[in-house]
Amino acid sequence: MRTEDLSVTLFVVVTISLIPLLAMQFTNEVNWSGFDFLVMGSLLFLSGLAIQFVRHKLKSRKQRIIASSAILILLFIIWAELAVGIFGTPFAGS
């Protein structure tokens, strides 16, 4: 994996992390701890690395789209479970 790929992935993770950080400055509705940022950053960074891996290893455009979509769907399911507990697992605090 190239250094540029890691830099872009890290830049995207930091940029997305700024959204809740900025929201915390203007409202009490968003109340994240350092652990929340760590978990979010880890999920986003690992998802980005997985998509970069898929992008470099799979030759077919259709395969890359399917694999990347599966990674993103898994990311959103995990994120939703951690946020609101859609499945009621212990990870959601249920």
Side-chain angles (χ1 to χ4, degrees):
M1 190 166 301
R2 299 183 329 218
T3 306
E4 296 85 22
D5 293 338
L6 290 174
S7 299
V8 169
T9 302
L10 188 58
F11 176 76
V12 169
V13 169
V14 169
T15 302
I16 292 173
S17 297
L18 288 175
I19 296 169
L21 184 64
L22 288 172
M24 287 173 53
Q25 307 307 312
F26 298 105
T27 182
N28 291 330
E29 299 291 323
V30 180
N31 186 18
W32 283 26
S33 68
F35 183 72
D36 294 327
F37 282 100
L38 179 68
V39 170
M40 179 191 68
S42 298
L43 281 172
L44 290 173
F45 189 69
L46 290 174
S47 297
L49 289 180
I51 289 172
Q52 291 292 340
F53 180 78
V54 162
R55 202 178 112 213
H56 289 292
K57 294 297 180 185
L58 298 179
K59 301 298 179 200
S60 165
R61 178 180 166 99
K62 183 178 179 180
Q63 288 177 334
R64 287 193 306 251
I65 290 171
I66 291 170
S68 296
S69 297
I71 292 166
L72 289 175
I73 289 169
L74 182 62
L75 169 69
F76 293 137
I77 288 172
I78 292 170
W79 195 317
E81 176 61 22
L82 291 174
V84 295
I86 58 175
F87 300 114
T89 65
F91 297 111
S94 299

